[in-house]
Amino acid sequence: DFVMTQSPDSLAVSLGERATINCKSSQSVLYRPNNQNYLAWYQLKPGQPPKVLIYWASTRESGVPDRFSGSGSGTDFTLTISSLQAEDVAVYYCQQYYTTPYTFGQGTKLEIK
Amino acid sequence: QVQLQESGPGLVKPSQTLSLSCTVSGGSVSSGNYYWNWIRQLPGKGLEWIGYISDRGTTYYNPALESRAAISVDTSRNQFSLKLNSVTAADTALYHCARAKPRDHSGNSDWFDPWGQGTLVTVSS
């Protein structure tokens, strides 16, 4: 199975500051024939359906604020929130959809400092 | 806009079978060429993909749960369901249903979207 490891496990950032979450895959999720990285980022808030933020490692889902961005390739990826807002408090997960069984990182809890 | 809603008992006894349903609104489980998934959020351990059923009834499971899990679809109710047998306390989790688009003929799919908000199942006597 692909093991996805996120860092840090938790993060406290001041409002308006940058938040960075890392995700490392045990195997490359880059499919070379189409040069796509099969990696998504999700935001989970209590009592709400999980929401996809980013797919193909860097494509923002429609309606997601542009302060959210994804980068990386192969085995190393980053989710960046450029200017933290109060509504961004959540747990964030990366997920590989390169192959089954689909696997997720352990999650990063983002809080306001 | 497709929405998913999970339902089922919140408490299951050890060794019994967990049974959950996911009702799809705003779309049909039998059309549109989608995979209908179950994913669970384990306390302190993150998210675990359980498996999917296609609009044609093909199923695929996480090998870690394959021997205990069964996903089926009820087109008359526009629902799909999960049964997990021989449960233990380790199966206590928030269970989500989610949709995904098939990517190719290999059985793989893209990211999960949308999701249901989840239903909490506790395994305890």
Side-chain angles (χ1 to χ4, degrees):
Chain A
D1 296 3
F2 283 49
V3 177
M4 310 300 290
T5 304
Q6 290 180 227
S7 62
D9 290 336
S10 63
L11 182 62
V13 175
S14 300
L15 289 172
E17 296 299 306
R18 177 184 300 261
T20 301
I21 299 170
N22 300 301
C23 174
K24 187 175 185 66
S25 175
S26 62
Q27 301 177 62
S28 176
V29 298
L30 173 63
Y31 186 59
R32 293 206 176 271
N34 62 9
N35 201 36
Q36 292 279 21
N37 287 283
Y38 288 63
L39 184 111
W41 289 96
Y42 300 90
Q43 178 189 63
L44 273 69
K45 294 181 179 181
Q48 296 184 21
K51 178 182 176 182
V52 62
L53 299 174
I54 303 283
Y55 51 87
W56 300 130
S58 61
T59 301
R60 196 181 306 114
E61 169 73 336
S62 175
V64 172
D66 61 7
R67 62 180 181 273
F68 290 90
S69 63
S71 62
S73 185
T75 61
D76 293 279
F77 300 90
T78 300
L79 175 70
T80 301
I81 307 172
S82 60
S83 177
L84 189 71
Q85 304 300 304
E87 61 265 32
D88 301 334
V89 169
V91 181
Y92 294 85
Y93 289 88
C94 61
Q95 179 236 336
Q96 66 81 16
Y97 50 96
Y98 187 91
T99 190
T100 55
Y102 305 121
T103 49
F104 297 82
Q106 80 277 19
T108 296
K109 186 176 183 179
L110 178 58
E111 299 173 312
I112 304 294
K113 185 185 291 183
Chain B
Q1 182 180 358
V2 172
Q3 293 184 313
L4 286 70
Q5 179 66 58
E6 305 86 351
S7 59
L11 181 65
V12 181
K13 288 183 168 49
S15 81
Q16 294 191 342
T17 297
L18 176 162
S19 296
L20 298 175
S21 294
C22 179
T23 300
V24 179
S25 58
S28 172
V29 293
S30 57
S31 65
N33 193 28
Y34 288 107
Y35 290 171
W36 303 95
N37 295 263
W38 286 97
I39 299 159
R40 64 184 183 179
Q41 193 173 344
L42 298 159
K45 292 187 179 182
L47 295 163
E48 181 177 42
W49 173 72
I50 299 169
Y52 72 69
I53 187 165
S54 75
D55 60 321
R56 298 186 179 187
T58 303
T59 54
Y60 196 93
Y61 301 101
N62 187 327
L65 295 164
E66 186 170 19
S67 62
R68 298 195 294 128
I71 300 175
S72 60
V73 66
D74 184 342
T75 56
S76 66
R77 295 187 176 189
N78 212 31
Q79 291 179 338
F80 62 105
S81 299
L82 169 70
K83 290 189 186 299
L84 188 67
N85 61 36
S86 305
V87 297
T88 70
D91 294 309
T92 294
L94 184 66
Y95 285 77
H96 296 274
C97 53
R99 188 184 72 172
K101 282 188 180 179
R103 186 163 73 235
D104 48 38
H105 298 295
S106 68
N108 288 318
S109 65
D110 289 340
W111 57 94
F112 302 112
D113 178 57
W115 298 55
Q117 69 178 40
T119 186
L120 180 63
V121 178
T122 301
V123 179
S124 175
S125 55

